[in-house]
Amino acid sequence: MLNFTTIYKSNKSSFNNFSLYLFANIVQVLIGLFMNPLWASNLSHKDYAIMGYFDSFGLLILPLIGFSLFSYYSKEYFNLDELGRKKLLSSLLLFQIGFGLVSMLILLGGFKIYFLVNKISFPFFPYAFLSFFKVYIVNIYTFYILNLKLERKALKYFKINVYYVVLSTLLILIFVVFLHKGAYGNMLSVFLTATIFSIYALFKQIRKIQIDFDIIKKALSFCWPLIFSAILTYFFTGFDKLLLEKVDDIYRFGLYNVGFKFASYFTIFTLTVNSTFEPDFYEAIANRNKAKLVKTIILINAIIIIPIVIFLLSSNFIIGILTNYRYSDAAPYARILAVSNITQSVSFTLSTVIIAYGYSKVSLIEKIIGTAFTIGMYIYLIKKFGFIGAAWGNVLCYLGMSLISGLILIYLYKKNKSRYSKINI
């Protein structure tokens, strides 16, 4: 039986940080929920469909703009002194800014060709520009947030995240509610917020321009499998919307994205929990403390399940109240998509273990297998069951990935155990 007093004492620092991380995101969620009736009254089904469709491409283009350098920085952080960390951060961030811009412009051109060839029903301009440039610019801010978490500066993390949410909310209020700009106003508000905070983050992180290309070479050598792996992640969380656009039902597409929006609040919570304990992941692995690693994994997923179960029991009432009963029909999608956060969290923790142990190429193989399964599954479920099929696909794809990751970890454990046994003999 678990002794929660002992667990708290041994993880006191993590729990204290978690309370601040969680409170920062609770503020974000509460503001979002409080303002949601206002957003729902000023955004149409088509607006929600547009925002959901273009936002879905974020995970596809992010690794091609950010090059998954966050993972390398996290991996090396605890192995370096303060001077080494600053040099590493400067090199990675400046490389990402320069080469990421070139990559982003190429991707934008390719996306325009895709729109023309496939005759997509949504307008390309200005939505594609706002979506792509937001992904590019927010990488700078993300590096700053990551650094605060690795340094365990939870109070600073809390303050800047609250400021970020407040500014974003005020801008959406201006552009969506007062100026009635719909999806364009919403996306413009998010882009402007990301730009302002990323400029601030850049000046806080970079004191002088210096890039050590030996660091870049090592980083890209480690990250290239993660780049491809992250691209494949798109098929787990964005491919459904690509297929659903072809269903040609804007009304239900809007409902699906409203459900996705409510489920995303749990995603915020899930990411907060995972991010809070992520340093413990890397520290436990660096110290070869398997017992702490297993306890951390169990603790993370136990915390995540509780609010999701509460939502499942009261989703109809919650969504009705928070959308002025305009989008009550989104509840079935929201329930299923909320459950996907559980399977996603399990998959994330197991995949992080594989990466943290240095098996980045194995992580790519894992994702290739999972992607093949996911593509076939989504095509079948959406063709057979439409939007409900797509929602269940979000649950099942991560369940499949969790099983694949678990089998790989068992294989790697047995392989390493056998190798060490031979050495001892």
Side-chain angles (χ1 to χ4, degrees), residues 24-41:
N25 287 286
I26 286 176
V27 171
Q28 179 181 352
V29 171
L30 288 178
I31 290 176
L33 292 175
F34 179 76
M35 300 301 293
N36 203 80
L38 202 56
W39 304 157
S41 299

Side-chain angles (χ1 to χ4, degrees), residues 66-345:
F67 310 110
S68 297
L69 297 176
F70 305 122
S71 294
Y72 184 75
Y73 184 71
S74 297
K75 177 180 177 295
E76 294 296 315
Y77 184 87
F78 290 106
N79 298 322
L80 299 170
D81 57 19
E82 187 64 26
L83 185 62
R85 291 169 182 172
K86 289 181 178 179
K87 186 177 180 181
L88 177 66
L89 177 62
S90 175
S91 297
L92 296 180
L93 184 54
L94 291 173
F95 175 83
Q96 182 177 269
I97 292 171
F99 285 84
L101 178 61
V102 175
S103 180
M104 189 269 297
L105 294 174
I106 294 172
L107 288 168
L108 196 58
F111 197 55
K112 175 63 175 178
I113 295 171
Y114 171 80
F115 255 63
L116 293 173
V117 171
N118 290 275
K119 298 179 180 179
I120 302 302
S121 58
F122 301 128
F124 179 82
F125 182 84
Y127 305 116
F129 281 82
L130 291 173
S131 180
F132 278 57
F133 273 92
K134 181 204 72 176
V135 172
Y136 166 71
I137 197 71
V138 83
N139 273 300
I140 302 169
Y141 175 72
T142 304
F143 246 122
Y144 180 65
I145 290 298
L146 172 62
N147 213 43
L148 291 180
K149 287 187 291 188
L150 290 172
E151 292 175 353
R152 292 185 169 90
K153 294 181 177 178
L155 184 58
K156 283 188 176 181
Y157 176 94
F158 167 76
K159 289 179 179 178
I160 195 166
N161 272 276
V162 171
Y163 296 151
Y164 192 104
V165 174
V166 169
L167 178 60
S168 178
T169 303
L170 288 174
L171 290 176
I172 294 174
L173 190 66
I174 293 170
F175 286 107
V176 174
V177 178
F178 294 127
L179 298 180
H180 304 291
K181 295 298 182 181
Y184 169 69
N186 187 285
M187 294 175 72
L188 178 63
S189 301
V190 174
F191 169 74
L192 290 175
T193 305
T195 301
I196 292 168
F197 277 83
S198 292
I199 291 172
Y200 167 80
L202 180 62
F203 283 102
K204 291 291 289 185
Q205 294 178 100
I206 303 298
R207 300 299 179 184
K208 64 177 182 177
I209 298 176
Q210 60 174 3
I211 301 179
D212 187 328
F213 282 97
D214 285 336
I215 290 177
I216 300 301
K217 184 178 178 181
K218 291 177 182 177
L220 292 178
S221 177
F222 175 80
C223 290
W224 74 261
L226 301 181
I227 294 173
F228 286 103
S229 180
I231 292 171
L232 296 176
T233 300
Y234 164 76
F235 293 96
F236 295 83
T237 56
F239 188 58
D240 56 335
K241 296 184 180 67
L242 182 74
L243 296 177
L244 289 172
E245 188 271 336
K246 298 298 181 183
V247 175
D248 196 24
D249 187 341
I250 296 296
Y251 178 81
R252 290 193 180 279
F253 200 3
L255 289 174
Y256 183 84
N257 282 296
V258 171
F260 195 89
K261 175 71 174 178
F262 277 94
S264 71
Y265 291 126
F266 295 101
T267 303
I268 293 170
F269 177 74
T270 299
L271 292 174
T272 302
V273 176
N274 281 311
S275 298
T276 301
F277 291 95
E278 191 171 8
D280 296 89
F281 258 90
Y282 287 98
E283 189 174 23
I285 289 171
N287 296 330
R288 300 185 181 278
N289 190 340
K290 292 186 176 67
K292 182 179 180 180
L293 181 62
V294 172
K295 289 179 181 178
T296 303
I297 292 173
I298 294 172
L299 186 61
I300 286 172
N301 292 287
I303 292 172
I304 287 167
I305 289 173
I306 297 171
I308 294 176
V309 171
I310 295 172
F311 175 74
L312 293 177
L313 297 174
S314 54
S315 58
N316 286 337
F317 173 76
I318 291 172
I319 293 176
I321 289 292
L322 295 177
T323 63
N324 286 332
Y325 292 95
R326 191 179 179 191
Y327 294 98
S328 298
D329 290 341
Y333 306 120
R335 282 194 294 269
I336 299 169
L337 291 167
V339 172
S340 72
N341 283 284
I342 298 174
T343 55
Q344 183 179 0
S345 176

Side-chain angles (χ1 to χ4, degrees), residues 396-415:
L396 296 176
C397 68
Y398 284 108
L399 179 61
M401 279 300 299
S402 299
L403 293 173
I404 294 168
S405 300
L407 291 172
I408 288 174
L409 284 171
I410 291 171
Y411 169 76
L412 292 173
Y413 174 76
K414 289 183 176 180
K415 181 181 178 182

